[in-house]
């Protein structure tokens, strides 16, 4: 069972506690060394929300969690350096996060409660900035090395 303080930290925008705990419990077994979960956002479909998708953000990657029909989850994960762009679109019922990888693949997570989507978007933007800075730094080092300095 996940640490209650950690779950409270991850659930400050009215996520379904059962879903967050299940996703966190399943995912914690595949965390890498020094990787920390930053946030978990859970879909809230307007009609039937039996098995909602969720998005899990860590210090190293973004993970889309899709429940399987019988039990368990299917994880689709992307390192932050492989994510090219994240967009947020708010509607009447909820919000949609659209993630585009550097390879051009597009992932859409819809029916997110607006507060959760905003928080996920904010974290994604922070991670995007870190990756851009890292790319810029590496590019400068490569140019310096190529120039013989």
């Amino acid at each position: 069972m996940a640490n209650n303080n950690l779950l409270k930290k991850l659930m400050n925008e009215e996520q379904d506690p059962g879903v967050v705990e299940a996703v966190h419990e399943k995912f914690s077994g595949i965390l890498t060394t020094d990787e920390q979960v930053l946030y978990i956002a859970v879909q809230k479909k307007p009609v039937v929300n039996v098995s909602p998708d969720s998005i899990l953000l860590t210090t190293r990657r973004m993970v889309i969690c899709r429940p399987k029909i019988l039990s368990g989850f299917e994880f689709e994960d992307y390192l932050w350096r492989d994510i090219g762009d994240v967009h947020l679109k708010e509607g009447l019922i909820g919000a949609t996060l659209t993630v585009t990888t550097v390879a051009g693949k597009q992932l859409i997570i819809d029916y997110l409660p607006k507060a959760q989507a905003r928080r996920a978007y904010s974290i994604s933007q922070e991670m995007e900035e870190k990756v851009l800075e890292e790319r810029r730094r590496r590019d400068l080092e490569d140019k310096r090395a190529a120039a013989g300095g």
Side-chain angles (χ1 to χ4, degrees):
M1 188 146 163
N3 179 341
N4 281 342
N5 289 333
L6 175 61
L7 285 179
K8 283 179 185 175
K9 183 182 133 200
L10 298 175
M11 294 188 299
N12 52 3
E13 276 83 30
E14 301 175 18
Q15 292 94 325
D16 180 333
V19 174
V20 172
E21 187 171 357
V23 168
H24 185 270
E25 192 174 306
K26 293 281 185 190
F27 189 76
S28 63
I30 57 173
L31 285 171
T32 61
T33 305
D34 296 331
E35 184 176 23
Q36 297 173 4
V37 175
L38 300 173
Y39 193 70
I40 298 174
V42 180
Q43 265 183 341
K44 194 165 195 169
K45 295 180 182 174
V47 182
V48 179
N49 205 31
V50 176
S51 57
D53 291 349
S54 53
I55 183 166
L56 186 136
L57 306 172
T58 77
T59 51
R60 295 203 173 147
R61 54 192 161 156
M62 173 185 285
V63 184
I64 313 295
C65 308
R66 291 183 167 66
K68 289 184 177 181
I69 292 173
L70 297 177
S71 68
F73 292 91
E74 180 180 333
F75 295 114
E76 185 177 358
D77 64 301
Y78 298 90
L79 295 174
W80 287 112
R81 70 171 181 249
D82 296 332
I83 293 175
D85 205 7
V86 178
H87 287 287
L88 172 66
K89 181 179 178 183
E90 292 186 3
L92 289 174
I93 297 174
T96 300
L97 273 180
T98 303
V99 180
T100 307
T101 67
V102 291
K105 183 175 182 178
Q106 203 169 61
L107 308 158
I108 297 172
I109 304 95
D110 54 5
Y111 296 111
L112 290 170
K114 292 176 187 177
Q116 292 180 43
R118 287 181 194 132
R119 182 73 179 123
Y121 178 74
S122 172
I123 291 169
S124 298
Q125 293 303 304
E126 287 175 22
M127 299 310 284
E128 228 179 280
E129 287 174 19
K130 285 181 184 179
V131 167
L132 285 173
E133 179 59 30
E134 179 66 23
R135 283 184 190 141
R136 189 191 66 75
R137 190 180 57 73
R138 275 198 195 134
D139 190 41
L140 282 173
E141 287 175 5
D142 289 347
K143 286 179 181 176
R144 197 173 292 135

